[in-house]
Amino acid sequence: MTKYVDFKQGKIRYTDSGKGRVVVFLHGFLESLEMWRLYQNLPNYIRKICIDLPGHGKSDNFGYVHSMELMAEGVRAVLKNEGIRKVVVVGHSMGGYVGLAFAEIYPDMMKGLVMYFSSAAADDKEKKKNRNRAIKLVEKNKNSFVSASIPLLFANHNRSKYRKTITHLVHNAQKMGVQNIIAALGGMRDRYDREIILKFAPYPIGYIIGDLDPILPKEVLIQQSKLAENGSLTILKKTGHMGFIENKKETYAALKKFVCSVYT
């Protein structure tokens, strides 16, 4: 079921399916809640809440920069609207940054966190420069930026294999407004390092990563996964940043295993 909740001066779109214990799904940059269709097959006792983060999908834009904290407040607005108090959060890439911000602001609401091809580290100086370059490219030609960016999320050997899927992803992402894309880039650029959340979290944290991720080096993510006292790690072979497409079966199995281990 598709729903909307009032948030600031606009609305956040989300879907709500199933009954029981809640898993919140947060997509990545240039994506939308539609990426989580496969995970509607999780057990019936799992309630699936999939959210369009600010500026993405059919959610509204809320300013020049969408900080991870602002996005986390949008997630909270959805959960408050549904009367939900405890959740497992699954965040893909940027969604993981938002998940960590949510965990910092609302620690008592957390039952578990899946860093799904995502990182707890902030952008370093070089990455910040690259975000600023990206903003200029978007201002100049949004569609060219999107067309060039999305294929780079896949492992080299998968770019031709998933050419049709990539074309579809590009087409959908190009529907985003210039300001929406810039707001997300600015928010990711300015986000805080949240590795400390991993160290002190009393709930389980699972890392699901690709061994060929061109965006987030596996060595860095492996070290992060070790920070969590109750952590787990799944490394998917021959997989880039888009494991839900590049390695659909194993990615789903890893996520299902984590969620079911929390909600036994």
Side-chain angles (χ1 to χ4, degrees):
M1 179 185 296
T2 300
K3 302 180 180 180
Y4 289 84
V5 63
D6 292 332
F7 179 65
K8 296 187 180 295
Q9 302 301 313
K11 292 185 180 295
I12 298 287
R13 180 181 74 142
Y14 64 101
T15 59
D16 183 1
S17 61
K19 295 181 179 180
R21 297 171 176 180
V22 180
V23 179
V24 174
F25 293 92
L26 306 177
H27 61 75
F29 177 54
L30 299 179
E31 298 169 349
S32 69
L33 60 80
E34 274 76 22
M35 71 164 280
W36 301 113
R37 286 176 179 171
L38 171 67
Y39 299 99
Q40 299 303 315
N41 295 325
L42 286 170
N44 292 333
Y45 63 82
I46 301 297
R47 184 178 177 187
K48 284 78 70 175
I49 303 287
C50 304
I51 301 173
D52 272 344
L53 294 170
H56 290 72
K58 294 183 180 178
S59 288
D60 290 325
N61 177 278
F62 298 94
Y64 187 73
V65 173
H66 287 158
S67 70
M68 301 303 101
E69 293 79 15
L70 179 140
M71 292 194 185
E73 294 291 352
V75 174
R76 175 69 179 102
V78 170
L79 299 181
K80 184 177 181 180
N81 192 54
E82 295 295 331
I84 295 170
R85 296 183 179 181
K86 289 280 189 178
V87 297
V88 170
V89 176
V90 179
H92 177 238
S93 195
M94 183 185 76
Y97 311 156
V98 177
L100 281 167
F102 182 87
E104 182 175 62
I105 301 169
Y106 303 107
D108 293 340
M109 296 187 70
M110 297 295 296
K111 285 287 291 182
L113 173 65
V114 178
M115 297 295 288
Y116 188 84
F117 307 90
S118 190
S119 172
D123 279 0
D124 58 23
K125 289 183 178 180
E126 187 59 33
K127 286 185 178 180
K128 288 180 185 291
K129 289 181 181 178
N130 288 338
R131 301 282 191 201
N132 288 331
R133 292 189 191 104
I135 288 171
K136 291 181 179 179
L137 289 173
V138 173
E139 290 174 336
K140 184 176 181 180
N141 192 322
K142 174 199 69 175
N143 287 349
S144 292
F145 168 79
V146 172
S147 296
S149 297
I150 289 180
L152 298 179
L153 301 174
F154 290 75
N156 284 332
H157 71 280
N158 284 331
R159 290 172 189 167
S160 58
K161 180 179 180 180
Y162 293 104
R163 183 169 54 250
K164 289 184 178 179
T165 300
I166 290 172
T167 299
H168 178 71
L169 293 172
V170 168
H171 175 73
N172 285 340
Q174 286 178 340
K175 296 176 183 177
M176 291 179 64
V178 170
Q179 184 52 50
N180 295 19
I181 298 175
I182 291 173
L185 286 166
M188 291 188 289
R189 176 198 62 203
D190 298 340
R191 76 185 188 278
Y192 299 115
D193 187 298
R194 288 192 162 94
E195 289 186 338
I196 194 170
I197 302 295
L198 306 177
K199 293 181 180 180
F200 295 104
Y203 45 82
I205 296 177
Y207 268 75
I208 299 175
I209 69 177
D211 67 340
L212 299 178
D213 192 325
I215 306 299
L216 301 172
K218 69 176 181 179
E219 293 79 13
V220 172
L221 300 184
I222 289 171
Q223 290 304 310
Q224 285 184 21
S225 71
K226 294 177 180 178
L227 295 175
E229 182 176 341
N230 188 8
S232 63
L233 171 66
T234 300
I235 304 175
L236 302 171
K237 295 182 179 180
K238 299 180 180 180
T239 303
H241 196 65
M242 306 290 274
F244 61 99
I245 295 171
E246 298 172 86
N247 199 334
K248 186 181 296 184
K249 184 176 179 180
E250 290 186 34
T251 307
Y252 174 78
L255 181 57
K256 180 180 178 182
K257 180 180 179 181
F258 179 90
V259 170
C260 291
S261 71
V262 175
Y263 286 142
T264 53

